[in-house]
Amino acid sequence: MAVGPDETAVPRANENPPTGLHVLVIEDDPAIGRQLERGLIRAGYGVSRAADGSQALLADPADVILLDLGLPDIDGLELCQRLRARSSAAIIAVTARSEEATRVATLDAGADDYLIKPFGFVELLARIRAVLRRINPIESGQLRHGSLTVDPRTRRVFVGDRDIALTPKEFDLLSCLAEDPGRALTRQEILERAWGGHWYGPSKVLDVHVASLRRKLGDPALIETVYGIGYRLASIE
Ligand code: CA
């Protein structure tokens, strides 16, 4: 497999914080396996590897399975079916064969997507994100605004694939802004919502939390100051 011109676009080590997602790489070629493992770790995934079908069937559960169809011990399509029968992970089959019959058989065997060798690493990451989106459709109640996702059910916030750790107050503050992007909320309204009406001190506490939120979200323009009123989430052009 040539991880070709895209390789320069692979993020540097530690550039991406952990996604909390685990990828099982099933690949009998150790050099390719190592290369995939390194790149996926840099992209923030946890990675385990299996060098053949038997190892794959014994591996710990994963969120995404990258399955090379050409393995020494078990036929790739059969393995795909067996993995599908025991796991709800997203399965991306990797094949050197591009014939339509193979592609159809791969999907019939339970794969969610397939990649044809050689492929670029950037494409692999995009496919992984896409299958995860398809498999885990947006939970009802999730608030989405551009690359920002606020999930009130799990109280998690993402910017793109980046998991943002917020304090409870920061989360409440961001949630009330994200419920209606573009609408200006008064300082009083925000304090009542996020502090439950139990804040009697100086309202400067709000500005401190907004400053911290802006820093954590990495885009200071996302939360706009409405002078003399309060704050709003920036509209997306
Ligand atoms: Ca192989």
Side-chain angles (χ1 to χ4, degrees), residues 110-142:
D112 299 283
D113 200 357
Y114 54 84
L115 272 168
I116 300 187
K117 291 181 179 181
F119 57 84
F121 198 77
V122 170
E123 180 180 9
L124 170 63
L125 292 180
R127 296 291 186 97
I128 288 177
R129 287 194 298 268
V131 291
L132 287 171
R133 274 198 300 272
R134 280 206 302 276
I135 286 177
N136 307 314
I138 299 167
E139 299 281 350
S140 61
Q142 268 194 2

Side-chain angles (χ1 to χ4, degrees), residues 40-228:
L40 287 167
I41 287 172
R42 282 189 208 123
Y45 294 97
V47 177
S48 50
R49 273 167 59 194
D52 57 32
S54 327
Q55 282 183 17
L57 290 167
L58 293 172
D60 289 333
D63 301 289
V64 178
I65 297 174
L66 201 58
L67 167 62
D68 175 28
L69 290 178
L71 292 170
D73 58 343
I74 303 178
D75 172 71
L77 290 180
E78 186 196 327
L79 179 60
C80 187
Q81 282 170 340
R82 288 171 65 179
L83 289 168
R84 173 47 72 231
R86 51 194 276 138
S87 162
S88 58
I91 300 178
I92 301 178
V94 177
T95 173
R97 298 162 285 184
S98 64
E99 301 89 48
E100 190 181 16
T102 309
R103 285 183 275 151
V104 170
T106 305
L107 298 175
D108 279 347
D112 299 283
D113 200 357
Y114 54 84
L115 272 168
I116 300 187
K117 291 181 179 181
F119 57 84
F121 198 77
V122 170
E123 180 180 9
L124 170 63
L125 292 180
R127 296 291 186 97
I128 288 177
R129 287 194 298 268
V131 291
L132 287 171
R133 274 198 300 272
R134 280 206 302 276
I135 286 177
N136 307 314
I138 299 167
E139 299 281 350
S140 61
Q142 268 194 2
L143 307 167
R144 288 209 159 206
H145 184 60
S147 61
L148 175 72
T149 304
V150 178
D151 188 336
R153 189 178 68 84
T154 59
R155 293 183 68 89
R156 290 177 83 185
V157 170
F158 294 86
V159 172
D161 296 332
R162 202 155 54 90
D163 197 343
I164 311 286
L166 298 182
T167 66
K169 282 286 170 278
E170 287 165 355
F171 181 87
D172 292 338
L173 167 51
L174 181 61
S175 305
C176 67
L177 293 172
E179 277 170 15
D180 194 357
R183 180 166 91 83
L185 275 76
T186 67
R187 299 175 65 83
Q188 195 52 42
E189 214 174 337
I190 299 171
L191 282 166
E192 275 171 16
R193 293 275 308 276
W195 274 260
H198 300 304
W199 183 259
Y200 304 102
S203 73
K204 190 167 182 348
V205 67
L206 175 56
D207 307 294
V208 172
H209 279 78
V210 168
S212 162
L213 251 182
R214 283 175 171 154
R215 224 175 14 251
K216 289 184 177 177
L217 296 174
D219 177 7
L222 190 60
I223 299 174
E224 294 177 339
T225 303
V226 186
Y227 289 101

